[in-house]
Amino acid sequence: MAIVEVGPESDIQPGQSACVFVNDIPIAIFNVNGEYYAIGDTCTHEDFSLSEGEVFEDATVECALHGSRFDLRTGEALSLPATGSAGSYEVWVEDGVIKLDVP
Ligand code: FES
């Protein structure tokens, strides 16, 4: 596993998201009311970026292409047409810096 510094926490404000690449893996980071979540950025239905989706206060994101919802805590698809998990990563803020744990 590797701990990666993503950037200052001000880079992702509440309600915002961003995609970062770690070892060529796209990871979507979300800030929901000050709580950070990180899941795989690629939708499990087709190759589309989940960080471009709409984020909801119940810690879910809706894929902007066909509307599947994903749980930001686990990466699991909650509704069709996507199935399975996009994967999830541990993310936290330390000294004002967003950090990711990537296996
Ligand atoms: S690409 Fe995400 S639901 Fe189809």
PDB file of all heavy atoms in Angstrom, residues 17-45:
ATOM      1  N   SER A  17     -16.011  17.364  -6.455  1.00  0.00           N
ATOM      2  CA  SER A  17     -15.303  16.098  -6.633  1.00  0.00           C
ATOM      3  C   SER A  17     -14.145  16.316  -7.588  1.00  0.00           C
ATOM      4  O   SER A  17     -14.080  17.335  -8.278  1.00  0.00           O
ATOM      5  CB  SER A  17     -16.256  15.032  -7.180  1.00  0.00           C
ATOM      6  OG  SER A  17     -16.858  15.504  -8.370  1.00  0.00           O
ATOM      7  N   ALA A  18     -13.237  15.353  -7.604  1.00  0.00           N
ATOM      8  CA  ALA A  18     -12.092  15.449  -8.499  1.00  0.00           C
ATOM      9  C   ALA A  18     -11.624  14.040  -8.831  1.00  0.00           C
ATOM     10  O   ALA A  18     -11.831  13.104  -8.051  1.00  0.00           O
ATOM     11  CB  ALA A  18     -10.957  16.231  -7.842  1.00  0.00           C
ATOM     12  N   CYS A  19     -10.991  13.906  -9.980  1.00  0.00           N
ATOM     13  CA  CYS A  19     -10.389  12.629 -10.357  1.00  0.00           C
ATOM     14  C   CYS A  19      -8.877  12.770 -10.296  1.00  0.00           C
ATOM     15  O   CYS A  19      -8.327  13.729 -10.843  1.00  0.00           O
ATOM     16  CB  CYS A  19     -10.829  12.234 -11.770  1.00  0.00           C
ATOM     17  SG  CYS A  19     -10.047  10.697 -12.340  1.00  0.00           S
ATOM     18  N   VAL A  20      -8.235  11.835  -9.599  1.00  0.00           N
ATOM     19  CA  VAL A  20      -6.775  11.825  -9.566  1.00  0.00           C
ATOM     20  C   VAL A  20      -6.302  10.467 -10.075  1.00  0.00           C
ATOM     21  O   VAL A  20      -7.014   9.463  -9.951  1.00  0.00           O
ATOM     22  CB  VAL A  20      -6.222  12.077  -8.148  1.00  0.00           C
ATOM     23  CG1 VAL A  20      -6.655  13.439  -7.647  1.00  0.00           C
ATOM     24  CG2 VAL A  20      -6.648  10.993  -7.180  1.00  0.00           C
ATOM     25  N   PHE A  21      -5.123  10.448 -10.658  1.00  0.00           N
ATOM     26  CA  PHE A  21      -4.540   9.192 -11.133  1.00  0.00           C
ATOM     27  C   PHE A  21      -3.391   8.802 -10.208  1.00  0.00           C
ATOM     28  O   PHE A  21      -2.483   9.590  -9.963  1.00  0.00           O
ATOM     29  CB  PHE A  21      -4.025   9.333 -12.572  1.00  0.00           C
ATOM     30  CG  PHE A  21      -5.132   9.295 -13.595  1.00  0.00           C
ATOM     31  CD1 PHE A  21      -5.886  10.421 -13.859  1.00  0.00           C
ATOM     32  CD2 PHE A  21      -5.415   8.116 -14.267  1.00  0.00           C
ATOM     33  CE1 PHE A  21      -6.913  10.373 -14.793  1.00  0.00           C
ATOM     34  CE2 PHE A  21      -6.437   8.060 -15.202  1.00  0.00           C
ATOM     35  CZ  PHE A  21      -7.189   9.189 -15.462  1.00  0.00           C
ATOM     36  N   VAL A  22      -3.474   7.577  -9.691  1.00  0.00           N
ATOM     37  CA  VAL A  22      -2.400   7.041  -8.867  1.00  0.00           C
ATOM     38  C   VAL A  22      -1.985   5.720  -9.503  1.00  0.00           C
ATOM     39  O   VAL A  22      -2.812   4.807  -9.640  1.00  0.00           O
ATOM     40  CB  VAL A  22      -2.862   6.815  -7.415  1.00  0.00           C
ATOM     41  CG1 VAL A  22      -1.714   6.261  -6.585  1.00  0.00           C
ATOM     42  CG2 VAL A  22      -3.384   8.114  -6.806  1.00  0.00           C
ATOM     43  N   ASN A  23      -0.727   5.617  -9.913  1.00  0.00           N
ATOM     44  CA  ASN A  23      -0.260   4.415 -10.621  1.00  0.00           C
ATOM     45  C   ASN A  23      -1.183   4.079 -11.793  1.00  0.00           C
ATOM     46  O   ASN A  23      -1.534   2.923 -12.011  1.00  0.00           O
ATOM     47  CB  ASN A  23      -0.165   3.212  -9.680  1.00  0.00           C
ATOM     48  CG  ASN A  23       0.815   3.440  -8.555  1.00  0.00           C
ATOM     49  OD1 ASN A  23       1.771   4.198  -8.700  1.00  0.00           O
ATOM     50  ND2 ASN A  23       0.562   2.820  -7.426  1.00  0.00           N
ATOM     51  N   ASP A  24      -1.593   5.096 -12.523  1.00  0.00           N
ATOM     52  CA  ASP A  24      -2.472   4.961 -13.684  1.00  0.00           C
ATOM     53  C   ASP A  24      -3.890   4.522 -13.330  1.00  0.00           C
ATOM     54  O   ASP A  24      -4.683   4.199 -14.211  1.00  0.00           O
ATOM     55  CB  ASP A  24      -1.891   3.991 -14.726  1.00  0.00           C
ATOM     56  CG  ASP A  24      -0.643   4.562 -15.384  1.00  0.00           C
ATOM     57  OD1 ASP A  24      -0.531   5.798 -15.473  1.00  0.00           O
ATOM     58  OD2 ASP A  24       0.212   3.760 -15.814  1.00  0.00           O
ATOM     59  N   ILE A  25      -4.215   4.463 -12.039  1.00  0.00           N
ATOM     60  CA  ILE A  25      -5.576   4.112 -11.615  1.00  0.00           C
ATOM     61  C   ILE A  25      -6.353   5.408 -11.385  1.00  0.00           C
ATOM     62  O   ILE A  25      -5.931   6.244 -10.577  1.00  0.00           O
ATOM     63  CB  ILE A  25      -5.571   3.290 -10.313  1.00  0.00           C
ATOM     64  CG1 ILE A  25      -4.740   2.019 -10.487  1.00  0.00           C
ATOM     65  CG2 ILE A  25      -6.983   2.960  -9.862  1.00  0.00           C
ATOM     66  CD1 ILE A  25      -4.452   1.319  -9.166  1.00  0.00           C
ATOM     67  N   PRO A  26      -7.480   5.598 -12.087  1.00  0.00           N
ATOM     68  CA  PRO A  26      -8.271   6.796 -11.832  1.00  0.00           C
ATOM     69  C   PRO A  26      -9.121   6.640 -10.573  1.00  0.00           C
ATOM     70  O   PRO A  26      -9.853   5.656 -10.415  1.00  0.00           O
ATOM     71  CB  PRO A  26      -9.153   6.913 -13.090  1.00  0.00           C
ATOM     72  CG  PRO A  26      -9.258   5.529 -13.612  1.00  0.00           C
ATOM     73  CD  PRO A  26      -8.027   4.769 -13.175  1.00  0.00           C
ATOM     74  N   ILE A  27      -8.990   7.593  -9.674  1.00  0.00           N
ATOM     75  CA  ILE A  27      -9.708   7.542  -8.399  1.00  0.00           C
ATOM     76  C   ILE A  27     -10.511   8.835  -8.244  1.00  0.00           C
ATOM     77  O   ILE A  27      -9.983   9.934  -8.459  1.00  0.00           O
ATOM     78  CB  ILE A  27      -8.728   7.368  -7.224  1.00  0.00           C
ATOM     79  CG1 ILE A  27      -7.979   6.034  -7.371  1.00  0.00           C
ATOM     80  CG2 ILE A  27      -9.451   7.446  -5.880  1.00  0.00           C
ATOM     81  CD1 ILE A  27      -6.873   5.831  -6.352  1.00  0.00           C
ATOM     82  N   ALA A  28     -11.782   8.661  -7.901  1.00  0.00           N
ATOM     83  CA  ALA A  28     -12.665   9.820  -7.713  1.00  0.00           C
ATOM     84  C   ALA A  28     -12.728  10.157  -6.225  1.00  0.00           C
ATOM     85  O   ALA A  28     -12.983   9.282  -5.398  1.00  0.00           O
ATOM     86  CB  ALA A  28     -14.068   9.501  -8.230  1.00  0.00           C
ATOM     87  N   ILE A  29     -12.486  11.428  -5.905  1.00  0.00           N
ATOM     88  CA  ILE A  29     -12.552  11.887  -4.521  1.00  0.00           C
ATOM     89  C   ILE A  29     -13.706  12.880  -4.411  1.00  0.00           C
ATOM     90  O   ILE A  29     -13.853  13.774  -5.256  1.00  0.00           O
ATOM     91  CB  ILE A  29     -11.238  12.547  -4.094  1.00  0.00           C
ATOM     92  CG1 ILE A  29     -10.094  11.539  -4.249  1.00  0.00           C
ATOM     93  CG2 ILE A  29     -11.320  13.045  -2.651  1.00  0.00           C
ATOM     94  CD1 ILE A  29      -8.730  12.114  -3.959  1.00  0.00           C
ATOM     95  N   PHE A  30     -14.507  12.690  -3.382  1.00  0.00           N
ATOM     96  CA  PHE A  30     -15.699  13.524  -3.184  1.00  0.00           C
ATOM     97  C   PHE A  30     -15.646  14.172  -1.808  1.00  0.00           C
ATOM     98  O   PHE A  30     -15.195  13.552  -0.847  1.00  0.00           O
ATOM     99  CB  PHE A  30     -16.974  12.665  -3.258  1.00  0.00           C
ATOM    100  CG  PHE A  30     -17.131  11.933  -4.556  1.00  0.00           C
ATOM    101  CD1 PHE A  30     -16.536  10.683  -4.738  1.00  0.00           C
ATOM    102  CD2 PHE A  30     -17.864  12.483  -5.590  1.00  0.00           C
ATOM    103  CE1 PHE A  30     -16.679  10.005  -5.938  1.00  0.00           C
ATOM    104  CE2 PHE A  30     -18.015  11.809  -6.792  1.00  0.00           C
ATOM    105  CZ  PHE A  30     -17.422  10.566  -6.967  1.00  0.00           C
ATOM    106  N   ASN A  31     -16.143  15.385  -1.731  1.00  0.00           N
ATOM    107  CA  ASN A  31     -16.320  16.064  -0.447  1.00  0.00           C
ATOM    108  C   ASN A  31     -17.818  16.273  -0.259  1.00  0.00           C
ATOM    109  O   ASN A  31     -18.455  17.035  -0.986  1.00  0.00           O
ATOM    110  CB  ASN A  31     -15.576  17.403  -0.455  1.00  0.00           C
ATOM    111  CG  ASN A  31     -15.723  18.169   0.854  1.00  0.00           C
ATOM    112  OD1 ASN A  31     -16.657  17.940   1.606  1.00  0.00           O
ATOM    113  ND2 ASN A  31     -14.816  19.092   1.095  1.00  0.00           N
ATOM    114  N   VAL A  32     -18.385  15.538   0.709  1.00  0.00           N
ATOM    115  CA  VAL A  32     -19.813  15.674   1.021  1.00  0.00           C
ATOM    116  C   VAL A  32     -19.914  16.307   2.404  1.00  0.00           C
ATOM    117  O   VAL A  32     -19.620  15.654   3.406  1.00  0.00           O
ATOM    118  CB  VAL A  32     -20.535  14.302   0.992  1.00  0.00           C
ATOM    119  CG1 VAL A  32     -22.029  14.492   1.246  1.00  0.00           C
ATOM    120  CG2 VAL A  32     -20.300  13.594  -0.325  1.00  0.00           C
ATOM    121  N   ASN A  33     -20.255  17.577   2.449  1.00  0.00           N
ATOM    122  CA  ASN A  33     -20.384  18.305   3.717  1.00  0.00           C
ATOM    123  C   ASN A  33     -19.133  18.175   4.582  1.00  0.00           C
ATOM    124  O   ASN A  33     -19.225  18.001   5.802  1.00  0.00           O
ATOM    125  CB  ASN A  33     -21.609  17.811   4.496  1.00  0.00           C
ATOM    126  CG  ASN A  33     -22.896  18.185   3.801  1.00  0.00           C
ATOM    127  OD1 ASN A  33     -22.973  19.223   3.155  1.00  0.00           O
ATOM    128  ND2 ASN A  33     -23.897  17.335   3.921  1.00  0.00           N
ATOM    129  N   GLY A  34     -17.969  18.244   3.957  1.00  0.00           N
ATOM    130  CA  GLY A  34     -16.723  18.196   4.711  1.00  0.00           C
ATOM    131  C   GLY A  34     -16.185  16.804   4.939  1.00  0.00           C
ATOM    132  O   GLY A  34     -15.081  16.635   5.456  1.00  0.00           O
ATOM    133  N   GLU A  35     -16.974  15.780   4.568  1.00  0.00           N
ATOM    134  CA  GLU A  35     -16.539  14.383   4.694  1.00  0.00           C
ATOM    135  C   GLU A  35     -15.987  13.936   3.339  1.00  0.00           C
ATOM    136  O   GLU A  35     -16.652  14.114   2.313  1.00  0.00           O
ATOM    137  CB  GLU A  35     -17.735  13.524   5.088  1.00  0.00           C
ATOM    138  CG  GLU A  35     -17.403  12.160   5.616  1.00  0.00           C
ATOM    139  CD  GLU A  35     -16.886  12.202   7.050  1.00  0.00           C
ATOM    140  OE1 GLU A  35     -17.339  13.061   7.837  1.00  0.00           O
ATOM    141  OE2 GLU A  35     -16.028  11.382   7.349  1.00  0.00           O
ATOM    142  N   TYR A  36     -14.796  13.351   3.362  1.00  0.00           N
ATOM    143  CA  TYR A  36     -14.182  12.926   2.096  1.00  0.00           C
ATOM    144  C   TYR A  36     -14.410  11.438   1.855  1.00  0.00           C
ATOM    145  O   TYR A  36     -14.377  10.623   2.785  1.00  0.00           O
ATOM    146  CB  TYR A  36     -12.673  13.210   2.113  1.00  0.00           C
ATOM    147  CG  TYR A  36     -12.361  14.676   1.998  1.00  0.00           C
ATOM    148  CD1 TYR A  36     -12.366  15.478   3.134  1.00  0.00           C
ATOM    149  CD2 TYR A  36     -12.091  15.268   0.779  1.00  0.00           C
ATOM    150  CE1 TYR A  36     -12.104  16.842   3.050  1.00  0.00           C
ATOM    151  CE2 TYR A  36     -11.827  16.625   0.676  1.00  0.00           C
ATOM    152  CZ  TYR A  36     -11.838  17.404   1.819  1.00  0.00           C
ATOM    153  OH  TYR A  36     -11.588  18.746   1.727  1.00  0.00           O
ATOM    154  N   TYR A  37     -14.635  11.103   0.581  1.00  0.00           N
ATOM    155  CA  TYR A  37     -14.818   9.717   0.153  1.00  0.00           C
ATOM    156  C   TYR A  37     -13.994   9.505  -1.115  1.00  0.00           C
ATOM    157  O   TYR A  37     -13.824  10.437  -1.911  1.00  0.00           O
ATOM    158  CB  TYR A  37     -16.289   9.425  -0.175  1.00  0.00           C
ATOM    159  CG  TYR A  37     -17.239   9.653   0.968  1.00  0.00           C
ATOM    160  CD1 TYR A  37     -17.844  10.887   1.148  1.00  0.00           C
ATOM    161  CD2 TYR A  37     -17.531   8.634   1.868  1.00  0.00           C
ATOM    162  CE1 TYR A  37     -18.711  11.104   2.205  1.00  0.00           C
ATOM    163  CE2 TYR A  37     -18.407   8.848   2.921  1.00  0.00           C
ATOM    164  CZ  TYR A  37     -18.986  10.086   3.081  1.00  0.00           C
ATOM    165  OH  TYR A  37     -19.847  10.301   4.141  1.00  0.00           O
ATOM    166  N   ALA A  38     -13.517   8.287  -1.304  1.00  0.00           N
ATOM    167  CA  ALA A  38     -12.759   7.980  -2.520  1.00  0.00           C
ATOM    168  C   ALA A  38     -13.198   6.619  -3.049  1.00  0.00           C
ATOM    169  O   ALA A  38     -13.219   5.622  -2.315  1.00  0.00           O
ATOM    170  CB  ALA A  38     -11.260   7.976  -2.230  1.00  0.00           C
ATOM    171  N   ILE A  39     -13.591   6.590  -4.315  1.00  0.00           N
ATOM    172  CA  ILE A  39     -13.960   5.330  -4.972  1.00  0.00           C
ATOM    173  C   ILE A  39     -13.291   5.298  -6.345  1.00  0.00           C
ATOM    174  O   ILE A  39     -12.795   6.324  -6.830  1.00  0.00           O
ATOM    175  CB  ILE A  39     -15.496   5.162  -5.134  1.00  0.00           C
ATOM    176  CG1 ILE A  39     -16.078   6.216  -6.074  1.00  0.00           C
ATOM    177  CG2 ILE A  39     -16.186   5.205  -3.777  1.00  0.00           C
ATOM    178  CD1 ILE A  39     -17.566   5.994  -6.409  1.00  0.00           C
ATOM    179  N   GLY A  40     -13.287   4.125  -6.968  1.00  0.00           N
ATOM    180  CA  GLY A  40     -12.770   4.047  -8.325  1.00  0.00           C
ATOM    181  C   GLY A  40     -13.557   4.997  -9.218  1.00  0.00           C
ATOM    182  O   GLY A  40     -14.778   5.109  -9.087  1.00  0.00           O
ATOM    183  N   ASP A  41     -12.852   5.673 -10.105  1.00  0.00           N
ATOM    184  CA  ASP A  41     -13.535   6.712 -10.902  1.00  0.00           C
ATOM    185  C   ASP A  41     -14.319   6.125 -12.070  1.00  0.00           C
ATOM    186  O   ASP A  41     -15.179   6.796 -12.624  1.00  0.00           O
ATOM    187  CB  ASP A  41     -12.512   7.723 -11.427  1.00  0.00           C
ATOM    188  CG  ASP A  41     -13.179   8.902 -12.112  1.00  0.00           C
ATOM    189  OD1 ASP A  41     -14.032   9.543 -11.471  1.00  0.00           O
ATOM    190  OD2 ASP A  41     -12.869   9.155 -13.285  1.00  0.00           O
ATOM    191  N   THR A  42     -14.031   4.898 -12.453  1.00  0.00           N
ATOM    192  CA  THR A  42     -14.649   4.350 -13.658  1.00  0.00           C
ATOM    193  C   THR A  42     -15.943   3.620 -13.318  1.00  0.00           C
ATOM    194  O   THR A  42     -15.951   2.686 -12.507  1.00  0.00           O
ATOM    195  CB  THR A  42     -13.679   3.375 -14.359  1.00  0.00           C
ATOM    196  OG1 THR A  42     -12.443   4.055 -14.588  1.00  0.00           O
ATOM    197  CG2 THR A  42     -14.257   2.904 -15.690  1.00  0.00           C
ATOM    198  N   CYS A  43     -17.032   4.045 -13.940  1.00  0.00           N
ATOM    199  CA  CYS A  43     -18.316   3.376 -13.756  1.00  0.00           C
ATOM    200  C   CYS A  43     -18.191   1.909 -14.158  1.00  0.00           C
ATOM    201  O   CYS A  43     -17.462   1.578 -15.093  1.00  0.00           O
ATOM    202  CB  CYS A  43     -19.378   4.075 -14.621  1.00  0.00           C
ATOM    203  SG  CYS A  43     -21.029   3.382 -14.408  1.00  0.00           S
ATOM    204  N   THR A  44     -18.901   1.033 -13.446  1.00  0.00           N
ATOM    205  CA  THR A  44     -18.821  -0.392 -13.758  1.00  0.00           C
ATOM    206  C   THR A  44     -19.777  -0.788 -14.881  1.00  0.00           C
ATOM    207  O   THR A  44     -19.829  -1.960 -15.261  1.00  0.00           O
ATOM    208  CB  THR A  44     -19.109  -1.249 -12.507  1.00  0.00           C
ATOM    209  OG1 THR A  44     -20.388  -0.885 -11.980  1.00  0.00           O
ATOM    210  CG2 THR A  44     -18.044  -1.029 -11.443  1.00  0.00           C
ATOM    211  N   HIS A  45     -20.522   0.167 -15.420  1.00  0.00           N
ATOM    212  CA  HIS A  45     -21.388  -0.124 -16.561  1.00  0.00           C
ATOM    213  C   HIS A  45     -20.633   0.092 -17.872  1.00  0.00           C
ATOM    214  O   HIS A  45     -20.481  -0.821 -18.673  1.00  0.00           O
ATOM    215  CB  HIS A  45     -22.646   0.750 -16.517  1.00  0.00           C
ATOM    216  CG  HIS A  45     -23.549   0.560 -17.688  1.00  0.00           C
ATOM    217  ND1 HIS A  45     -24.046   1.617 -18.415  1.00  0.00           N
ATOM    218  CD2 HIS A  45     -24.035  -0.569 -18.275  1.00  0.00           C
ATOM    219  CE1 HIS A  45     -24.802   1.145 -19.390  1.00  0.00           C
ATOM    220  NE2 HIS A  45     -24.824  -0.166 -19.326  1.00  0.00           N
TER     221      HIS A  45
END
